[in-house]
């Protein structure tokens, strides 16, 4: 089946990390995102995000929790 992003007309996404804090096996990333769509005429929709990362026993970082909000 087609992916949800393609069904929504999303053609590209750019993530910009603004702040990254690592404490032990946890990390907090705060950033902003630009979302480009077929109908957007080259002007991206903008949003803010927070992602909480968790480091596994193998040392790999895994996405644990996220929250996204449109920029006003």
């Amino acid at each position: 089946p087609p992916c949800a992003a393609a069904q929504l007309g999303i053609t590209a996404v750019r993530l910009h990390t603004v702040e990254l804090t690592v404490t032990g096996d946890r990390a907090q990333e705060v950033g902003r995102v630009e979302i480009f769509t077929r109908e957007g005429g080259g002007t991206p929709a903008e949003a803010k995000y927070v992602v909480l990362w968790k480091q596994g026993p193998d040392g790999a970082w895994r996405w644990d929790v996220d929250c996204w909000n449109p920029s006003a």
Side-chain angles (χ1 to χ4, degrees):
C3 75
Q7 290 178 332
L8 293 171
I10 296 173
T11 58
V13 175
R14 288 189 193 145
L15 298 173
H16 306 275
T17 301
V18 174
E19 180 182 334
L20 179 64
T21 305
V22 179
T23 306
D25 66 348
R26 303 285 179 153
Q28 173 184 302
E29 178 184 0
V30 178
R32 62 183 184 83
V33 60
E34 297 174 289
I35 303 169
F36 296 85
T37 63
R38 286 189 296 271
E39 291 80 25
T43 302
E46 296 185 1
K48 299 170 279 189
Y49 70 89
V50 174
V51 177
L52 302 180
W53 297 89
K54 186 175 181 181
Q55 190 174 33
D58 61 355
W61 288 95
R62 293 179 177 82
W63 198 337
D64 191 29
V65 178
D66 72 333
C67 179
W68 299 71
N69 290 306
S71 295

